[in-house]
Amino acid sequence: MITARLRLLQTTDLHMHLLGYDYLTDAARAGQGLTQLAPLIDAARSEDVTTLLFDNGDFLQGTPLADHLAHTATTDRIHPMIHAFNTLRYDAIALGNHEFDYGLPFLTQALSHCDMPVVCTNVRTTPTRNLVAPWTVLTREITGSDGNRHALKIGVIGFVTPQLVDWDAYILDGAVQTDDIIAAARSHLPALHRAGADIVVALCHAGISDVPHSQGMENAALHLSALPGIDVVFAGHTHDRFPGPDFAGLADTDTEAATLHGKPAVMAGAYGRALGVVDLDLTLDPDGWQISGHHVALRNPDATRLAADTPATTAIARNVSQDQAATVAHLNRSICDTPRRLTSYFAALGQDDTATLLADAQVAVMTDALAGTDYADLPVLATTSPYRAGGHGGPGNFTDIAPGPLTRRHIAAIVPFDNPIVGVLRRGWELRNWLEHSSRFFNVLTPGTPDQRLVDPAVPSYLFDQIHGLRYRIDLNLRPRLNDDPARPARVRDITHQGKPLADDALFVVATTSFRAYGGGDLTVIPPQDIIHTSPLGLPQILIDHLATARIPDAPAAANLGFVAAPGSTARFGTGLAARDIAAPLPNLLPCADDPDQPGFATMRLSF
């Protein structure tokens, strides 16, 4: 019996982290960026096994460099990330939802320079035409145990989160339609197998979840793996790592064997902090090549030093050098002065110094936009969520701005996405539901139990919306009341507006990002008739314009949320080490012994 080995490499969610550089601190960043992974890619290819390299999507957006390139794009210029893919000889790439953030013409132009196939099954421009090829078949030679070279056909099929048409509705304007991931797979897998694929690799830009499948499900990688005809699954989108402890106990998931429904699977985090490696043991029988074994690993770049220059990394860095210099110069421009330190170390408690700045800017721009309209007399609220609050980003993922000049670099840290602001009509009862869904960020605590974990690590901080203009408390002993279930008590209670209890029929305008207004994060669903205004500018520029005329207050605003008293209970959460040097914003918040499950974080204890 003839055997052979095939190696598959994955990058995912690079988010335009091309170089080992942190745009928010203006410093080199070891252990991050595609050029930091390049030596690992070279090493994996040198180990005497046929190797293919894939990217799983979300590569064009995510840093100030990405925004600069989008604003200065020309038709004859190869996008630097595509140039890097070409230089590193990727075999195929898939699309992520953030590829669409700059509009379809920009994406189409960028992809026109790819030297490798681009695949995506479930994005269409017409009922019968896909935006890019739904799949491709790559023919490679592998060395068998008999010493001979054998042809192997690898089918590569791509999928992306269907919600992209909602999240980017303001810029796509109906130019594309999306299909359910599972439905698209069922539609296209037969043709892929008829084309002779021996092995099928799914590049699925979606996360791993064991909630029952529903039409248009966002994180459908686990359900995709269950389909006959799928042999290997590359997952992404949620910036998690698989294999790893985050998915322990998930149904049909084996974190030790690195399988989903028994199929090899990998997810290499984000920002070029890991390279996914899937080694397949193949056996040739009368029915063709079969997978007889596998090994999956995540290889991490050296986090203590920058990678040595190689011909590929030198070429990539040289190609982007002028854009990099222009981006750094732009970020160093001063906007105004801040009289006090601005940090997000306590954002998990609703105490984020930058949140009130964002809320004030959103309320001001929305109030001006609605002047003279039928909505001018309605109260305007604003939502914010912390982007830099630890979590998957690690112990350095916090905002910390010293008193003095506030630059565009700081703006990029405060609000990393260039989404416009949308005004939506909401009644009081709808705001209650919004806050209930947002409260999923917090774990349910057991009364009288010390040192429970405050924050649910499975819920990213950008899903923790606060609604500014309201005041409220959260009862952490209760589970969120989802779908407005009257049989369960509300977790969010004592909601007031201007000192008065929130009436269910009270009508407000809520200024929120386009991502949230069009369903991003599944916190709320806004019907089209309730979307009454979309700003022509993105939130970063809105904040810049606001700060040019509005002075940053000398003292932080009082938090608009608190927690219901729970005698005998304490909760702990991880924050940045520098938080130890800052006066705690709450009297019942004290440092405590660090949590070994959160290395690098300072641990704080909250008493109730």
Side-chain angles (χ1 to χ4, degrees), residues 18-19 35 77 80 83-84 87 309-325:
L18 193 56
L19 308 173
T35 53
R77 170 81 187 278
H83 171 269
T87 301
D309 289 338
T310 67
T313 58
T314 299
I316 293 168
R318 183 185 300 118
N319 178 66
V320 78
S321 60
Q322 291 186 357
D323 299 290
Q324 174 75 356

Side-chain angles (χ1 to χ4, degrees), residues 276-339:
V277 182
V278 178
D279 285 333
L280 301 178
D281 296 321
L282 306 178
T283 301
L284 183 61
D285 65 21
D287 294 325
W289 289 101
Q290 312 296 330
I291 298 176
S292 55
H294 71 273
H295 180 264
V296 179
L298 298 177
R299 298 186 181 182
N300 304 313
D302 191 334
T304 64
R305 60 180 180 178
L306 293 172
D309 289 338
T310 67
T313 58
T314 299
I316 293 168
R318 183 185 300 118
N319 178 66
V320 78
S321 60
Q322 291 186 357
D323 299 290
Q324 174 75 356
T327 300
V328 171
H330 175 78
L331 292 175
N332 287 335
R333 294 176 186 168
S334 180
I335 302 300
C336 64
D337 285 341
T338 174

